[in-house]
Amino acid sequence: MPKSKKRAKAAPASKATAAQTGLSRRSVLGGGAIGSALVLGGGFWGISSFRTYAAEHDLSRVGDGTLAVVQIHDPQCPTCTALQKQTRRALRAFDGCGLTYLVADIKTPEGAAFARRFNAPHVTLLLFDGQGGLHRRVQGLQQAAALEEVFSAHKAALT
């Protein structure tokens, strides 16, 4: 019998604590559901982000039948990062129009080999035809508007 008295005393104390904090089982479980949704959403974003990264760094896509713009890129170079931002901004005008953007990261063996193969330093864009033939180089930081013109002319010349 003493055990049941202890349990009886413990129950009101926990109810008082729940009433004082404003937490109920339902509110805690609801918060868990929101937290789980956020974690799952973050996971899907992470997977999508990784797939985009992997696709952009797949240099075997050069010559797959679509025009390609390949940036020779050093991820630790602020000028390279600025060129990447301007290039992506310029390529928004060509979404779904047959221009593929790829990145040759010179910090990876594949990216460094690609840069050596075309004798291209970082902060360089290489424009390829659908068969993988190099048609143009753009070196140095460029603004998005100028890059749009370059990409437009490249596309018009080859399609």
Side-chain angles (χ1 to χ4, degrees), residues 135-153:
H135 281 261
R136 186 164 181 187
R137 292 173 188 265
V138 178
Q139 287 189 276
L141 181 59
Q142 308 288 320
Q143 294 303 310
L147 289 173
E148 272 189 54
E149 290 178 19
V150 168
F151 300 155
S152 226

Side-chain angles (χ1 to χ4, degrees), residues 66-97:
T66 60
L67 303 179
V69 176
V70 179
Q71 181 176 353
I72 309 300
H73 181 72
D74 178 350
Q76 296 172 335
C77 167
T79 308
C80 289
T81 303
L83 177 60
Q84 187 174 55
K85 183 178 179 181
Q86 294 300 317
T87 301
R88 286 185 170 143
R89 186 175 292 151
L91 285 169
R92 285 186 202 140
F94 300 92
D95 280 346
C97 292

